Amino acid sequence: MVVIYNAIDTEGFRTRVESADTSALLSAHSNETTVFLNVARCVEQKRQGDLIQAFAEFDAPDTHLYIVGDGPRKQQLETLVSEQELSDRITITGYVDRIEPYYAIADAFVSSSSMEGLPSTHLEAKAAQLPIISTNIPGVTELVDHGTDGYLCAVEHPREIANYMRTVHTTDTGAMGRQGFESVDNEFSIGTIATEHADLYRRVV
């Protein structure tokens, strides 16, 4: 058996992120705000409630969390945000036409999912040069190298997520983002994956 991963246009996505119009989003908070981004459907396995709990425990006023996505648990998550009195610091967007502006303003990508395949959002985050805080689950562990281009947490541990949010908020993680881009460009770019397909076809023909 041969495993060939999904591909991403790493350079193209990075270029679209760098050229994205972020004026509308940046007007909502100051440039000094540390922005965390989650991109996922609002469904049970994504466990965005854990992110909200982590953000409440993190409790840093100069931070903002965007949860970008729609789904059956969106209203429940909005209620939780209101109950935690975090409506001024957490935005649940629902469906959006363009995702690139959110990657452009983000300082880190966060995920609390309990189950993934090979998550394309993590590939996008690395292409956007963002450090990743995610869960230690199959699929994610193939993309995130703990301590090098991100941090891995146990599932259902909001406090651990909060601790790594605090780390990103208080330290310079630019090198992590650059390392993430280098690894995704080397291993998951369209050129790399196309070469792997071509090599496989040559072996079996």
Side-chain angles (χ1 to χ4, degrees):
M1 184 176 70
V2 176
V3 175
I4 299 178
Y5 290 111
N6 297 332
I8 183 173
D9 180 4
T10 50
E11 287 288 354
F13 190 78
R14 181 172 71 170
T15 298
R16 293 196 299 275
V17 168
E18 290 175 346
S19 62
D21 181 3
T22 60
S23 55
L25 293 175
L26 290 177
S27 66
H29 43 71
S30 73
N31 290 334
E32 288 73 34
T33 300
T34 300
V35 175
F36 295 90
L37 174 65
N38 172 256
V39 180
R41 276 182 49 77
C42 298
V43 294
E44 184 175 357
Q45 75 182 54
K46 302 301 184 180
R47 300 191 60 85
Q48 286 105 329
D50 288 352
L51 293 181
I52 295 169
Q53 294 290 352
F55 212 65
E57 183 163 335
F58 177 26
D59 194 26
D62 54 342
T63 57
H64 200 96
L65 170 64
Y66 283 95
I67 298 175
V68 179
D70 207 344
R73 293 176 66 88
K74 178 173 179 285
Q75 186 173 358
Q76 181 180 344
L77 294 172
E78 290 172 336
T79 299
L80 180 58
V81 168
S82 179
E83 290 173 348
Q84 295 285 350
E85 299 182 348
L86 289 170
S87 298
D88 59 333
R89 293 178 47 227
I90 297 179
T91 301
I92 303 175
T93 67
Y95 172 80
V96 299
D97 289 321
R98 301 293 298 179
I99 194 63
E100 291 88 351
Y102 293 91
Y103 281 105
I105 66 166
D107 296 287
F109 184 88
V110 290
S111 173
S112 49
S113 181
S114 61
M115 184 184 302
E116 293 287 351
L118 188 79
S120 60
T121 54
H122 291 54
L123 293 174
E124 291 174 346
K126 296 181 79 168
Q129 301 187 77
L130 299 180
I132 295 174
I133 302 169
S134 191
T135 41
N136 191 359
I137 58 175
V140 172
T141 55
E142 296 178 70
L143 297 177
V144 180
D145 184 6
H146 181 80
T148 301
D149 53 25
Y151 301 104
L152 295 173
C153 312
V155 177
E156 298 184 47
H157 278 257
R159 178 167 293 179
E160 194 173 359
I161 296 173
N163 288 338
Y164 286 124
M165 283 182 168
R166 191 172 293 110
T167 298
V168 169
H169 180 50
T170 57
T171 61
D172 182 1
T173 55
M176 276 190 160
R178 291 188 293 273
Q179 180 62 41
F181 177 81
E182 182 178 334
S183 68
V184 77
D185 192 45
N186 288 338
E187 299 174 35
F188 298 94
S189 69
I190 289 176
T192 296
I193 301 305
T195 299
E196 291 182 12
H197 277 284
D199 289 344
L200 177 61
Y201 293 149
R202 292 189 189 99
R203 292 200 301 269
V204 299
V205 169

